[in-house]
Amino acid sequence: MTYVVTDNCIRCKYTDCVEVCPVDCFYEGENFLAINPDECIDCGVCEPECPAEAIKPDTEPGLDEWLKLNAEYSQIWPNITIKRDAMPEAKEMDGVSGKLALYFSAEPGSGD
């Protein structure tokens, strides 16, 4: 099992989760975070830290697409371990459905 970042992170990008990760397995895109499934130790401390409830265990049904997306982008985006401010539109975007198709950016973030 591993944890994955899902749709609700897009254009919210709260970073509370990266601060508590003991193995620094989060990677930063322009408007989304990804977890490297090969580095994640399945401790679960990140899941309750996410204000948008965007982190899920990959054992939940329907998360195969998110596991692939997290695995792919964690290989090319920079590592992030420091909490930063959420995106300016985070509150308005929290809970919006269909964000992957509408808003996902493959561009990297700045990392640490």
Side-chain angles (χ1 to χ4, degrees):
M1 182 181 87
T2 187
Y3 284 82
V4 294
V5 183
T6 61
D7 197 52
N8 207 37
C9 181
I10 298 169
R11 290 190 62 190
C12 289
K13 199 169 81 169
Y14 292 102
T15 55
D16 305 60
C17 53
V18 304
E19 190 173 56
V20 299
C21 181
V23 293
D24 300 335
C25 67
F26 282 88
Y27 293 82
E28 183 184 19
E30 180 180 35
N31 67 2
F32 180 74
L33 298 174
I35 293 173
N36 183 318
D38 294 329
E39 295 173 358
C40 177
I41 60 171
D42 314 326
C43 67
V45 298
C46 59
E47 185 181 20
E49 295 299 317
C50 180
E53 298 181 358
I55 300 173
K56 307 286 181 193
D58 74 340
T59 53
E60 286 191 14
L63 295 181
D64 291 343
E65 175 184 20
W66 292 104
L67 180 58
K68 289 177 188 170
L69 191 132
N70 277 250
E72 177 183 349
Y73 286 98
S74 66
Q75 296 299 311
I76 55 177
W77 285 347
N79 188 244
I80 180 171
T81 61
I82 300 166
K83 181 180 175 180
R84 295 205 192 103
D85 291 337
M87 299 192 80
E89 66 270 23
K91 288 186 194 242
E92 300 93 58
M93 293 303 295
D94 190 354
V96 171
S97 61
K99 292 198 281 185
L100 179 60
L102 295 171
Y103 304 115
F104 176 77
S105 170
E107 294 299 314
S110 57
D112 284 350

